[in-house]
Amino acid sequence: MSDIIERNGDQGGIENQGIENPGGGIGYGGRPAPAVLQPALTAVDALDAQVHDIVTCDPGPVSRVLASAGHYVIKRPVLIPSFAIAGLVGLLTGQEDLRRAGSVGVLGLVATATASRSIKRYVKRRRPDECEPRQRPGKRISARSLPSGHAGSAFAAATALATVSRSPAQSLMIYGAAAAMASGRVVKHRHWASDVVAGALLGTAITLVARRLLAR
């Protein structure tokens, strides 16, 4: 780990840390970012590279398990049907909390997925495993890293569950589980840390709006 940090610090250049088009932000798709944003984006790129190499240097068995669990559990094809079933069961059985969590979850997840896909198409940031020196042989460049869709889904689901939470401690546990699984996207080399943060904020904000709309 220290060797990675030292190597990055000695070489200095962001291109040596594996972030292509430093400061480009939306420039990964060929459109340059506004000049006024490039210094900030360059700083984010550099921090992302350092955090990524530290986290993936020796993640340990717990982090690997969380990463694998997050990969399969916080997928939209798993979460959306689950919340839909919960909402239907709540409606049929008169369990208001279950119905509310299900309806908020479905709307939040669908809206988050739509927003995430739109942002990805506009930003076109490359994933860690699509950038040198981390690029895998034969890897197809998708340039769809920002924001993390998995993180967005995790926090949309967490916000829906927190809607019917019984205590702040329970809500904290829900969001903690979402954060742990979403962070696995960095461990699996599929997202930069800022992608995960952006996805978490997006999923939370959109689902909070969904909760307010469905309260009417």
Side-chain angles (χ1 to χ4, degrees):
M1 183 184 300
S2 60
D3 179 63
I4 289 175
I5 298 174
E6 183 179 354
R7 186 178 71 243
N8 286 342
D10 289 344
Q11 292 179 347
I14 294 176
E15 68 274 11
N16 292 326
Q17 298 176 17
I19 300 286
E20 297 181 12
N21 192 22
I26 63 172
Y28 294 131
R31 297 185 303 273
V36 68
L37 296 179
Q38 289 184 13
L41 293 173
T42 298
V44 170
D45 285 347
L47 181 60
D48 271 339
Q50 292 178 6
V51 170
H52 182 274
D53 288 344
I54 291 172
V55 169
T56 60
C57 177
D58 185 16
V62 175
S63 293
R64 292 192 183 95
V65 168
L66 285 172
S68 296
H71 176 72
Y72 294 105
V73 172
I74 56 180
K75 281 182 173 292
R76 288 185 291 269
V78 173
L79 292 174
I80 292 177
S82 298
F83 275 96
I85 292 170
L88 181 59
V89 170
L91 180 64
L92 295 176
T93 60
Q95 299 181 63
E96 180 59 24
D97 281 357
L98 195 58
R99 181 203 64 78
R100 180 158 172 72
S103 59
V104 171
V106 169
L107 181 55
L109 284 160
V110 171
T112 298
T114 302
S116 175
R117 287 171 179 168
S118 298
I119 295 170
K120 284 174 183 284
R121 283 195 295 266
Y122 179 72
V123 175
K124 290 184 169 64
R125 189 187 198 192
R126 290 188 180 182
R127 298 177 186 270
D129 59 7
E130 296 172 349
C131 293
E132 295 293 349
R134 307 173 185 87
Q135 187 174 8
R136 298 175 184 174
K139 184 68 178 181
R140 176 178 175 272
I141 303 299
S142 70
R144 293 172 64 85
S145 191
L146 179 71
S148 166
H150 279 74
S153 295
F155 277 80
T159 303
L161 293 175
T163 298
V164 295
S165 173
R166 300 298 183 186
S167 69
Q170 191 177 60
S171 296
L172 185 62
M173 290 178 62
I174 292 170
Y175 279 109
M181 287 192 287
S183 66
R185 302 304 290 162
V186 179
V187 176
K188 291 183 76 68
H189 300 271
R190 294 300 285 157
H191 284 287
W192 307 104
S194 61
D195 300 337
V196 173
V197 172
L201 293 175
L202 182 69
T204 301
I206 288 178
T207 310
L208 286 174
V209 172
R211 184 171 72 179
R212 178 175 291 274
L213 291 174
L214 291 175
R216 296 178 179 178

